[in-house]
Amino acid sequence: MVSSYLSLAQLDVPAQLVIDELTRLENYLSNHSLPAVRWQYQIPELGEGGACSLFGYLQDEPFKLTDYVKQDQHTTEKLAQLQLIVDYVVAQTKVDWYGIYQSTATPEGEQLLKLAYFGAPSRPLFPLTEAFAAGSNNVQVALSSKGRVINNVEQYLAGGGEYYTCDPKVKSEACLPLFDSANRCVGIVDGEAFNNDFFNQQTLALLIACCIKIPHFLV
């Protein structure tokens, strides 16, 4: 399971590190009560054409998750498990932003839908198109099924890399795919930090362990 994930996502992290982190994660999930589900949340205004968020400017109306997923006991329990994983990641790593997204059919086409997160308000939907992938790590990872780790955003941009900037304080980002039982990419996780070189092997091992567990709770 671990080796399969590392191979599919093309990530160079020792499998034993991930196995150890997976054991710790499962122990945590078994021994902590479920948090409340956030059914709606604030989101940024979008710039011209809707391509980028206007950081620091929030829309008046909150985004309603119930417009995209059914609010019943089954879904509530799954979303609560996802939020518990978010809480675990933040507690263990002190990451500044972390979110879980699921590929979802919407009236506007297939998009990444943000199900649970920690951090500043951010856009809730990312169109899964090649055009949007040109400037979005989230969409690139979802379409390619390959993980992306950028430990120095400024250096990456200076080298000509495309980057979707939401929060200008972000210095490092790790975006990793989620796979179903048929090894299809069904979503992503995104972690952001305000320091360079944040995503070392140990931190990545923890994030990968979560990626292995998260698909069980997707809605």
Side-chain angles (χ1 to χ4, degrees), residues 38-54:
R38 183 161 27 183
W39 287 102
Q40 59 182 35
Y41 45 79
Q42 288 186 297
I43 58 174
E45 292 280 5
L46 295 182
E48 186 176 350
C52 63
S53 301
L54 298 177

Side-chain angles (χ1 to χ4, degrees), residues 33-113:
S33 56
L34 295 177
V37 171
R38 183 161 27 183
W39 287 102
Q40 59 182 35
Y41 45 79
Q42 288 186 297
I43 58 174
E45 292 280 5
L46 295 182
E48 186 176 350
C52 63
S53 301
L54 298 177
F55 184 73
Y57 296 87
L58 299 178
Q59 295 186 23
D60 292 333
E61 290 295 318
F63 178 81
K64 295 179 176 63
L65 203 51
T66 48
D67 289 343
Y68 297 88
V69 299
K70 192 174 181 180
Q71 189 174 2
D72 56 20
Q73 183 178 351
H74 179 71
T75 303
T76 300
E77 288 178 0
K78 287 196 167 189
L79 290 175
Q81 289 281 3
L82 294 179
Q83 190 61 51
L84 187 59
I85 291 175
V86 170
D87 295 346
Y88 176 77
V89 169
V90 174
Q92 294 297 311
T93 68
K94 309 304 179 189
V95 71
D96 294 290
W97 201 97
Y98 179 78
I100 299 171
Y101 298 77
Q102 179 173 336
S103 299
T104 304
T106 76
E108 294 74 37
E110 194 78 9
Q111 301 195 69
L112 287 173
L113 170 66

Side-chain angles (χ1 to χ4, degrees), residues 130-180:
E130 292 293 344
F132 207 90
S136 169
N137 280 331
N138 288 359
V139 177
Q140 283 187 32
V141 169
L143 293 181
S144 71
S145 302
K146 307 297 186 289
R148 297 197 75 200
V149 180
I150 300 172
N151 266 318
N152 189 319
V153 170
E154 185 178 3
Q155 189 177 75
Y156 177 76
L157 287 170
E162 293 288 342
Y163 190 77
Y164 177 91
T165 300
C166 178
D167 189 338
K169 296 191 294 296
V170 173
K171 304 295 184 185
S172 302
E173 179 176 15
C175 189
L176 309 179
L178 302 170
F179 299 109
D180 65 10

